[in-house]
Amino acid sequence: MAFDIAVKRVYAPPAAEDGQRVLVDRIWPRGVSKEHAALALWLKEIAPSDELRKWFGHEPKRWAEFQKRYGAELDGNEEAVTQLRGLLGHGKVTLLYGAHDEVHNNAVALAGYLRGR
């Protein structure tokens, strides 16, 4: 089953085409009100572990290894992954993140993980 997944910075304005907006960061983004975020869900349990997040540090040279390690964490996080897949079964979901790097972040890695399984 192909899921309709988008990835977007939480700081970008909400849009009707976002579908259900899910924040996938463990830490609430600075300067964003709950109203502005317009979330269907804050699924912090699906974010990378603090250890993995700190190790990665948004270093592009660690991206491939980060995806591998994060995928292993997700494999062991069945409850959160199942919850997110449940939302995807009802239409488009936009995964929201707070990082500055739009290419190397946990939401992009999570979307890839979901599309690949």
Side-chain angles (χ1 to χ4, degrees), residues 10-65:
V10 71
Y11 298 99
E17 63 268 12
D18 289 346
Q20 296 184 83
R21 295 168 49 90
V22 179
L23 179 63
V24 294
D25 284 348
R26 191 169 301 277
I27 300 167
W28 187 264
R30 287 188 181 143
V32 176
S33 68
K34 291 189 180 193
E35 294 77 28
H36 174 79
L39 299 180
L41 177 65
W42 178 17
L43 191 58
K44 57 186 162 187
E45 298 81 12
I46 207 161
S49 65
D50 286 338
E51 296 80 19
L52 180 57
R53 182 179 54 81
K54 289 175 184 174
W55 171 83
F56 175 48
H58 298 283
E59 290 288 334
K61 66 184 177 197
R62 295 182 179 165
W63 178 240
E65 182 64 22

Side-chain angles (χ1 to χ4, degrees), residues 5-8 20 22 24 84 93-97 107 110-111 114:
I5 306 170
V7 177
K8 187 175 184 179
Q20 296 184 83
V22 179
V24 294
L84 185 53
V93 171
T94 296
L95 304 177
L96 302 171
Y97 64 94
L110 177 56
L114 292 166

Side-chain angles (χ1 to χ4, degrees), residues 60-87:
K61 66 184 177 197
R62 295 182 179 165
W63 178 240
E65 182 64 22
F66 171 76
Q67 290 178 93
K68 182 179 167 186
R69 292 182 187 189
Y70 185 33
E73 286 187 359
L74 291 167
D75 285 343
N77 193 355
E78 188 175 328
E79 186 175 330
V81 172
T82 298
Q83 186 175 4
L84 185 53
R85 282 195 175 122
L87 290 177

